[in-house]
Amino acid sequence: GIEVLFMLRTVENFIREQDLIPAGSTVLCAVSGGADSIAMLHVLYRLRDRLGFTLAAAHFNHRLRPTADRDEAFVRDWCREQGIPLTCGAGDVADLAAREGLGIEDAARKLRYAFLEAAARDMGASRIAAAHHREDNAETALLHLLRGTGLQGLGGIAPVRGQIVRPFLETSRAEIDAYAARNGVPYVEDESNQDTRFLRNRLRLEVLPLLEEVSPGCTGRIAAAA
């Protein structure tokens, strides 16, 4: 469909404009198994020849949910079918959180990024692609605003931070869902994304929909301002 081509073109243009992926480089795609990361892997797979890069994938098992091993198995199978080299890792998030007095989300992020950086080194990848999209950016800017922040926090998520790049940052969740549906891209659902004990999830599930009712299109405007 035309919207799928449009999305591919938008992502390609964003990668070129921001110089996210230099030609000749290897990109390590961080894949949880959710819709966003699998769609990003699918899009990068389709763009790899046009942009002249090599694609690899990495999955980190946080071992926090009963379905975590199912997610890892799903990613393994999917990457094998596509012929994409994959590295998997795992860590004890709960133990790190207890030891260092961190929240579960912060501990998970710390272990995940340490694993991704090590996997990138092992696979000779100069870039790590993460699937944050436009709504994630709006949520992050709001989160920082609520907690107190300066200009950097209001800037939300950067397209490039060190070796981490975010090709989907100007793509909306609706576009990603439509892309996954149109291309029959399978994915697994992380049930902890529905847990409103996490502030970010409450923003996504309760606050932003309410703001959208009051001011339709505001999520995109918050992301654009960031």
Side-chain angles (χ1 to χ4, degrees), residues 6-221:
F6 177 73
M7 183 179 136
L8 278 172
R9 192 57 40 85
T10 304
V11 174
E12 181 184 344
N13 289 343
F14 187 63
I15 289 170
R16 289 185 191 278
E17 278 162 24
Q18 301 285 335
D19 193 26
L20 299 188
I21 303 174
S25 61
T26 295
V27 180
L28 184 68
C29 203
V31 185
S32 66
D36 304 338
S37 65
I38 290 281
M40 180 178 69
L41 188 61
H42 199 271
V43 164
L44 291 179
Y45 186 76
R46 290 174 74 170
L47 292 177
R48 71 195 193 288
D49 291 339
R50 283 179 66 83
L51 292 167
F53 63 84
T54 303
L55 187 61
H59 174 81
F60 186 74
N61 185 336
H62 297 92
R63 297 206 170 123
L64 286 171
R65 299 175 287 115
T67 49
D69 290 342
R70 170 210 68 179
D71 293 2
E72 181 179 331
F74 165 77
V75 172
R76 281 184 186 279
D77 290 346
W78 203 78
C79 286
R80 190 169 56 242
E81 283 166 22
Q82 309 303 317
I84 298 168
L86 171 72
T87 298
C88 289
D92 193 333
V93 174
D95 176 62
L96 179 73
R99 263 202 341 265
E100 296 196 7
L102 296 168
I104 287 291
E105 284 186 303
D106 288 336
R109 190 178 303 113
K110 193 171 179 178
L111 280 179
R112 183 168 67 250
Y113 279 110
F115 158 71
L116 288 170
E117 284 163 15
R121 274 196 305 276
D122 290 348
M123 298 177 95
S126 60
R127 296 287 185 277
I128 298 166
H132 296 102
H133 50 65
R134 197 168 70 192
E135 279 81 355
D136 290 324
N137 204 6
E139 286 159 22
T140 299
L142 268 182
L143 204 55
H144 289 159
L145 186 61
L146 296 176
R147 288 176 175 164
T149 184
L151 279 175
Q152 194 176 356
L154 286 177
I157 301 171
V160 183
R161 196 189 83 235
Q163 64 185 141
I164 295 158
V165 297
R166 299 182 168 96
F168 269 8
L169 206 54
E170 289 192 343
T171 305
S172 72
R173 181 175 280 122
E175 288 172 312
I176 292 168
D177 289 345
Y179 180 88
R182 175 57 65 96
N183 287 284
V185 178
Y187 58 89
V188 285
E189 205 57 72
D190 177 348
E191 66 278 10
S192 69
N193 287 339
Q194 305 302 313
D195 186 343
T196 50
R197 286 174 304 178
F198 294 117
L199 179 55
R200 182 182 282 279
N201 288 355
R202 285 198 74 180
L203 285 179
R204 188 180 74 250
L205 298 169
E206 296 169 9
V207 177
L208 276 167
L210 196 58
L211 288 175
E212 280 289 335
E213 266 178 49
V214 175
S215 177
C218 71
T219 307
R221 292 192 292 277

